[in-house]
Amino acid sequence: MSDDSFIREVNEEMRRDQATALWNRFGPIAIGIAVAVVVATAAWVGWRYWTTNQANASGDRFSQALALVADDKPDEALAALESLQADGYGAYPVLARMRAATVLDAKGDKAGAVAAFDAVAADRAIDEPVRQMARLRAGLILVDSGTYAEVSSRVEALTADTNSLRHSAREALGLAAWKEGRSADALTLFDQIAADNLAPRNVRERATLMSELIRGSGDAS
């Protein structure tokens, strides 16, 4: 055997010994990590599958409730929406609460609708934009069925210049003020809307008409 062959065999034997030692030391850890990765991946895939199915099922139930509303079956729609509130998945329970309040309003149950929107607005587990929308919806109902104070308690905070709902909130508050003979307050609110270039055109047009009506009546002084 040549010196080169002997050296190669020695080197190979040393490498095998080193590899065996490394495997004996780290092999079980490597196997554990591989198993953990496989289990975690399987759990993640299973969770995604479950959540997707739950969301799809809740979405189907919500669509069915909306179909009942469209078919003029409010009582059946309310029952379906209440069921979805109880055991729906994701955002659907909150959507069901908002839609149920709308159905109550359409049925003529103004007090029930306001109470339902107020409950959403008071629920700190719900995202703030949804809670603000619930306050606005309650205030809009109360423009016709409540007092200025009741409307104000719900929408006043939404009239701030930085709030995206300010145009509708000011309109609701302005109408409530005008209804109670507070024409100067109403005019101020309608003028704010009319001067806001970010307000939707239809809202600005209504505000302009209301401003002209109040000024024309001479009640703003």
Side-chain angles (χ1 to χ4, degrees), residues 4-53:
D4 289 343
S5 297
F6 175 75
I7 291 172
R8 280 197 302 272
E9 289 183 6
V10 170
N11 287 337
E12 289 174 1
E13 186 66 28
M14 290 178 65
R15 283 196 293 270
R16 282 195 294 270
D17 290 344
Q18 290 172 346
T20 300
L22 287 172
W23 176 254
N24 289 337
R25 183 176 179 183
F26 298 109
I29 296 175
I31 292 173
I33 292 173
V35 170
V37 169
V38 170
V39 171
T41 301
W44 182 79
V45 171
W47 178 82
R48 283 290 303 274
Y49 177 78
W50 182 84
T51 56
T52 298
N53 282 348

Side-chain angles (χ1 to χ4, degrees), residues 97 119-128 131 135:
R97 292 173 69 179
V120 173
D123 191 341
R124 294 185 179 277
I126 297 174
D127 291 340
E128 182 61 21
R131 295 172 63 197
R135 285 194 285 273

